[in-house]
Amino acid sequence: MLAQVFTGHGVFGKYLKRIRVERSSECWFCNEREDTPEHTLWECPEWEGYRAEARAGGLDLNRSTIGNELVESKSKWVAFEGLIENILRAKTVRENERKKSGVRSRVRT
């Protein structure tokens, strides 16, 4: 799942639009115009609970210092990896539910 975040190939509106699975790159959860790995990981309010849990576990999720944080200790890397996995699993579940319900593309409301 880390590869999905690092490459942008995953359950992200920008990627799904590029491969023509979706008509829009908009975030399904907060209507941000472009759902990217950065948006999902750092900004989307839908995933704040996961971010709060990671912070409570001692991970400093400051964008400008996260690289240093991750090389500081294996436990911090594992915590960050867990954050990404939790968010992407939840996004995948929601995407599958969306497909089952017949919603095929994002429409700005």
Side-chain angles (χ1 to χ4, degrees):
M1 291 195 179
L2 288 173
Q4 291 180 27
V5 170
F6 294 142
T7 65
H9 298 153
V11 195
F12 307 107
K14 183 176 180 180
Y15 175 69
L16 295 175
K17 181 181 180 195
R18 190 177 66 151
I19 64 170
R20 299 179 186 192
V21 170
E22 296 288 347
R23 293 185 322 184
S24 169
S25 60
E26 183 177 283
C27 179
W28 308 319
F29 306 103
C30 72
N31 291 327
E32 176 67 29
R33 289 212 177 266
E34 191 163 69
D35 178 28
T36 63
E38 295 82 11
H39 168 73
T40 296
L41 188 60
W42 304 109
E43 300 163 1
C44 187
E46 184 71 20
W47 314 116
E48 183 54 38
Y50 292 112
R51 290 189 291 268
E53 186 177 305
R55 283 187 207 99
L59 190 61
D60 179 10
L61 291 177
N62 182 316
R63 284 188 200 198
S64 62
T65 60
I66 192 68
N68 292 334
E69 185 87 356
L70 297 179
V71 297
E72 192 174 289
S73 74
K74 183 175 181 173
S75 65
K76 290 184 179 186
W77 175 264
V78 170
F80 187 69
E81 185 176 33
L83 170 66
I84 290 170
E85 289 178 1
N86 287 336
I87 291 173
L88 294 187
R89 274 194 204 113
K91 278 188 90 168
T92 301
V93 166
R94 298 280 288 278
E95 166 68 355
N96 290 337
E97 290 170 354
R98 201 171 69 83
K99 285 179 183 177
K100 286 178 186 175
S101 73
V103 177
R104 303 304 281 168
S105 63
R106 299 180 186 122
V107 178
R108 192 158 187 81
T109 56

